[in-house]
Amino acid sequence: MAGVIAYLSGVVREVRDSSAVIVAGGVGYEVQCPAGTLGKLVVGQTAELSTRFVVREDAQLLFGFSDADSLKLFDLVTGVSGVGPKLGLSLLSAMPVSALAQGLMAGDAKLLSSVSGVGKKTAERLVLELQNKVPEHLAAAGVPAGARATPVSSTAGRDAIEALLALGFREAQVRGVVAELLGADPTQSADALIRKGLGRLR
């Protein structure tokens, strides 16, 4: 029955830690969403989400995404054995779509295993099964045209990552944010990256 509800449009009634309540046709739907989607929802305003409807023995869950790229990556990671929809949502919440796509394409199991709930074996399985299946355009998702996110190899980028990790942020989130910032402007100093990174991570 997966895919019964493929799209949902309605007014945002409530935004929770990992889900939102969308009212459509007089019915309130609880939709599980990644952090990036939740951050775009505003109570009282209309939201349009692409969705996946998942039926289990003990529950019926609706997952919603504000863009097609997030949904595509969700479908890819949840197609891997041992990766359920909740874990797929955790992966998408931990870092931008572009950073997750790049991590998979680069075979960066360490990055994936830094996400809460993703063990070493699961990370390796994700890389093994998806490294050559991730569409290249996903690696540039959400990055301004002509400013594709790049791997963090600069001294400023490494310094910024070390500083942000020392503040207690998760490695997956930190690397994803710094890579995206460098993709937009590779000439940024470590101080600028730290300042902007803090604004996105908090």
Side-chain angles (χ1 to χ4, degrees):
M1 292 181 64
V4 172
I5 302 176
Y7 172 82
L8 183 65
S9 176
V11 176
V12 181
R13 172 129 186 198
E14 184 180 351
V15 178
R16 302 171 179 173
D17 289 341
S18 59
S19 66
V21 177
I22 310 294
V23 177
V27 178
Y29 296 88
E30 181 176 12
V31 188
Q32 310 290 322
C33 304
T37 294
L38 289 173
K40 297 176 183 177
L41 301 180
V42 179
V43 173
Q45 293 190 7
T46 299
E48 297 183 355
L49 301 175
S50 296
T51 60
R52 282 291 178 264
F53 184 53
V54 178
V55 178
R56 304 189 316 200
E57 290 184 3
D58 58 342
Q60 297 183 20
L61 302 172
L62 189 61
F63 296 85
F65 308 87
S66 59
D67 59 271
D69 290 329
S70 295
L71 176 58
K72 175 62 176 178
L73 205 49
F74 176 80
D75 285 342
L76 283 172
V77 297
T78 55
V80 174
S81 176
V83 180
K86 289 293 184 74
L87 190 54
L89 213 60
S90 294
L91 283 161
L92 284 166
S93 292
M95 64 191 89
V97 167
S98 59
L100 178 54
Q102 287 178 36
L104 289 166
M105 293 169 70
D108 194 345
K110 182 179 179 182
L111 173 68
L112 301 176
S113 63
S114 70
V115 176
S116 179
V118 180
K120 181 180 178 181
K121 289 185 178 180
T122 298
E124 292 174 345
R125 191 181 307 119
L126 281 163
V127 167
L128 179 66
E129 295 191 26
L130 300 180
Q131 188 169 14
N132 298 315
K133 293 182 180 179
V134 177
E136 289 192 9
H137 78 272
L138 292 183
V143 179
R148 181 168 176 159
T150 56
V152 180
S153 58
S154 69
T155 299
R158 290 195 295 269
D159 289 346
I161 287 173
E162 289 182 10
L164 292 168
L165 289 176
L167 293 174
F169 294 108
R170 287 189 173 279
E171 183 176 357
Q173 292 175 302
V174 169
R175 286 186 176 277
V177 167
V178 172
E180 194 169 294
L181 289 171
L182 284 173
D185 181 4
T187 65
Q188 295 182 83
S189 67
D191 287 342
L193 291 169
I194 293 168
R195 184 178 67 255
K196 293 177 182 178
L198 283 171
R200 295 197 183 192
L201 291 165
R202 283 175 174 166

